[in-house]
Amino acid sequence: MAYATTNPYTGETVKTFPEATDAEIKVALDDAYEAFKSWRNVSFAERAKVMTAAANILRRDIDKYAKLLTLEMGKLYEEAKLETILSAEIFEYYAKNAENLLKPEDLPVADPKEGKAVLVHQPQGIVFAIEPWNFPYYQIARIIAPQLSAGNTVLLKHASNVPQSAAIFDDLMLEAGLPKGAFRNLYAARHHTEVILNDPRVCGVALTGSEGAGAIVASVAGKALKKATMELGGADAFIVLEDADVEKSAKWAAFGRHWNAGQVCVSSKRLIVVDSVYDQFLEIYKAEVAKLKAGDPMDAATTLAPLSSQKAADDLKAQVEEAKKHGAVVEVIGAPVPEKGAFFQPLLMTNLHENNEARHWEFFGPVTQLYRAKDEADAIRIANDSPFGLGGSVFTKDTARGVKVAEQIHTGMVYVNHPTMVKADLPFGGVARSGYGRELIGLGIKEFVNHKLIDVVDIDAPF
C-alpha cells in the first residue's frame, strides 16, 4: 500500500510516505497503552479542555486545514471549510456533554433492602480506527472526540490517499494538549491490522469503509474477540410522494446526489418518484444538474468537484458499463466536465428492473439511479429492495405521513423533507450491509466503554 498525496485535479503526485515498520507499530502500541494508563484517570473537565482546544485550533486555522482537504481528495474548498467546522463542532459537543453521557446510572432493584445497583461506564484501552478518504477530518473527529473523551486512546490507520490529512491531526491533538501517544496516525501496512487487533491492549476497532474492507476487518476482530463497529456503504433512497413540493424536492435531490462529487455513503443515490409527479420532477432535476460547473475545486465558482482519484473515476466508469450489460439505460445529464483531472460526467440510470443486478450496487460518484413508483406502497417496496440500510429521505407536505413512511424504511436514518445529513449532535449508522454500531452522541461514546455493574448488597441478604 503506497501512502501518497496525489492532487486529483492536476494528477500531480505531491508527496509520498513510507509504510510504518513493525517496530514503529510496536512503539505506537506501547505508547498508546502507557498514555491510556494515565489518561483514563484524567477528569472529564481536563479532557474537555483538550477537546475545546482542538476545536479552537480548527476554527482558527480553517484555511490551512481546508486547503489540505482540497489538495488531497479534490473536495470543493467551500465544502472543505464546512467539514473542518463540522469536525470542530464534534469536539465541542463532547467537551460539553461527555461527562453527562457517561455518568453512573442507578438501577432499580426489586428489593431496595438487598442493596444498591449502579452502572458505571469505564474506558477499556486502545481503540483502532480505520477511516476512509471521502471526509478525512470528519471521519477522524467522530471517532477520536468521543473515545478520547471517554478515556480511551486511539491509533489511526487512514486511507492511503490522504496521508497529510491524517498527519495534521497528529499535530492538532498535540497542540491541543493531548498527552503523547494518546492519539497517533500510523501509515500501517495491511498485515498490521491483524497485529494491532491481536494485541491484548486493544479493546476494539471502528471502521468506516467498503463492504469488502469491513468484512475482512470484522473477521480479524472476531477471531481476536474484539468488538467492532462497521460504518459501510449505502444507497440511500430519496422518495418523492405525489403530495410533495416537487420543485424543492428536485433541487434537494440534485444537491443530495452531487455534494462531495457524489462520494458520500449517505448520498441520495436512488431517486424513487411516484408516477403522478415523475415527469415534472425529472425535468426540474435535469435542469438543476445542468447548473453544476466542474472545474478547479479551489475556485468558488466550481460546484462539481473531481473524484478523489483517477482510479476512482475509471472504476466508476467500468461499473456503469457493467450495469449497461444488465440492461441499465444510461443518459448523460449536466454540462460537460473537463477532460483533465479525475472528473466524472453526471449520469442518469434507469431501467433498473427486478432482474437487473445493478439496482443493488452502490455507485460512488455522480451517477443517479432513478425509479418510477406506482404509489406510496410501491415506493417503500423499491426503497427496501436494497442490501444496504444506511440513510434515506421522504418528501411530502404531510409530515405525519412522512414519518409513517420513514418508519417502514429499513435503514439506520431517515429524514423527512431533507437529504440525509451529518451533524455533530445526531447519531450516525446503519443496518444490513451498511454495517452495525453507531457513532456520535451518547451511542458513539458508549461503543468502546465497559458498562460495569457495581452492586452493593447487604451481607445478610438472601441469595
Side-chain angles (χ1 to χ4, degrees):
M1 179 180 296
Y3 286 86
T5 299
T6 300
N7 187 329
Y9 177 60
T10 65
E12 178 190 5
T13 296
V14 178
K15 194 172 183 180
T16 60
F17 301 81
E19 288 184 341
T21 64
D22 293 352
E24 287 171 334
I25 297 296
K26 182 182 183 303
V27 169
L29 285 163
D30 291 342
D31 289 349
Y33 194 70
E34 283 303 308
F36 168 70
K37 287 191 291 186
S38 57
W39 183 247
R40 64 184 172 184
N41 296 316
V42 169
S43 69
F44 282 105
E46 289 301 310
R47 293 179 200 154
K49 289 180 182 178
V50 175
M51 301 303 115
T52 300
N56 290 342
I57 295 166
L58 288 171
R59 292 182 183 278
R60 182 195 72 198
D61 298 336
I62 185 171
D63 288 339
K64 177 181 77 172
Y65 283 92
K67 287 177 181 176
L68 190 54
L69 291 183
T70 300
L71 169 69
E72 289 208 298
M73 57 83 52
K75 191 184 297 286
L76 296 180
Y77 181 58
E78 289 304 312
E79 290 185 348
K81 289 197 290 185
L82 290 173
E83 181 180 339
T84 305
I85 293 299
L86 175 59
S87 301
E89 290 171 346
I90 293 171
F91 282 113
E92 290 162 346
Y93 176 88
Y94 285 104
K96 179 180 179 181
N97 296 296
E99 182 171 10
N100 185 57
L101 293 170
L102 294 178
K103 67 182 179 182
E105 302 172 47
D106 290 333
L107 301 178
V109 293
D111 184 355
K113 295 179 181 179
E114 293 184 3
K116 181 180 180 182
V118 179
L119 195 65
V120 296
H121 312 287
Q122 298 179 325
Q124 297 193 85
I126 305 168
V127 177
F128 184 34
I130 302 175
E131 302 300 334
W133 47 261
N134 56 336
F135 290 93
Y137 298 158
Y138 162 69
Q139 302 286 3
I140 302 175
R142 79 179 192 189
I143 187 65
I144 72 170
Q147 295 313 317
L148 293 173
S149 295
N152 290 317
T153 55
V154 183
L155 294 178
L156 169 70
K157 179 190 177 301
H158 217 326
S160 61
N161 60 328
V162 289
Q164 294 188 66
S165 296
I168 202 172
F169 257 61
D170 257 344
D171 299 336
L172 168 68
M173 298 314 297
L174 286 173
E175 184 179 349
L178 188 70
K180 180 183 177 183
F183 167 71
R184 182 172 296 177
N185 165 59
L186 299 170
Y187 296 134
R190 292 190 186 277
H191 73 279
H192 288 147
T193 293
E194 192 163 357
V195 171
I196 293 169
L197 286 177
N198 280 316
D199 191 293
R201 298 166 293 184
V202 174
C203 64
V205 59
L207 177 142
T208 298
S210 67
E211 287 180 85
I216 293 169
V217 173
S219 176
V220 174
K223 290 179 181 178
L225 298 178
K226 300 296 172 65
K227 182 174 182 180
T229 60
M230 296 283 141
E231 304 291 352
L232 308 178
D236 284 15
F238 184 103
I239 294 175
V240 182
L241 300 176
E242 76 284 348
D243 64 344
D245 184 319
V246 177
E247 182 176 1
K248 290 180 180 179
S249 300
K251 289 180 178 180
W252 273 123
F255 168 81
R257 186 64 193 101
H258 295 90
W259 67 294
N260 208 43
Q263 302 167 115
V264 187
C265 52
V266 290
S267 174
S268 304
K269 298 186 178 79
R270 296 183 299 139
L271 309 184
I272 304 167
V273 186
V274 168
D275 180 72
S276 60
V277 294
Y278 180 94
D279 292 335
Q280 179 188 1
F281 174 92
L282 181 56
E283 181 180 359
I284 299 171
Y285 181 75
K286 286 183 178 179
E288 288 299 310
V289 177
K291 295 176 183 178
L292 296 173
K293 179 183 178 183
D296 184 350
M298 285 298 297
D299 187 340
T302 300
T303 51
L304 182 65
L307 298 194
S308 62
S309 66
Q310 187 58 51
K311 182 181 185 303
D314 293 342
D315 288 350
L316 183 59
K317 181 179 179 180
Q319 188 183 29
V320 169
E321 290 304 312
E322 191 64 25
K324 289 181 181 179
K325 295 178 183 177
H326 289 277
V329 174
V330 176
E331 175 186 352
V332 172
I333 55 175
V337 299
E339 293 184 7
K340 180 183 178 181
F343 290 96
F344 196 91
Q345 177 68 48
L347 300 174
L348 183 70
M349 184 178 292
T350 54
N351 198 36
L352 294 160
H353 50 76
E354 62 182 10
N355 295 320
N356 189 336
E357 294 180 16
R359 76 188 191 282
H360 287 161
W361 300 348
E362 178 184 26
F363 292 85
F364 216 63
V367 177
T368 301
Q369 293 179 285
L370 180 64
Y371 300 80
R372 186 193 293 263
K374 298 174 184 176
D375 51 25
E376 176 188 297
D378 194 38
I380 295 169
R381 178 193 64 79
I382 296 169
N384 287 332
D385 180 26
S386 172
F388 300 104
L390 194 53
S393 307
V394 181
F395 281 75
T396 171
K397 291 177 182 175
D398 183 345
T399 54
R401 180 190 185 191
V403 170
K404 288 182 179 179
V405 171
E407 290 173 346
Q408 298 174 71
I409 299 174
H410 186 55
T411 63
M413 306 169 283
V414 182
Y415 286 74
V416 177
N417 292 327
H418 201 284
T420 310
M421 290 191 292
V422 289
K423 297 288 184 181
D425 56 356
L426 294 174
F428 189 96
V431 296
R433 301 294 292 183
S434 290
Y436 48 85
R438 291 294 181 273
E439 292 187 325
L440 298 176
I441 69 163
L443 298 173
I445 200 171
K446 291 181 177 178
E447 286 286 5
F448 295 100
V449 296
N450 176 18
H451 306 289
K452 180 190 290 182
L453 169 66
I454 299 178
D455 196 359
V456 179
V457 183
D458 189 316
I459 196 169
D460 294 318
F463 182 71

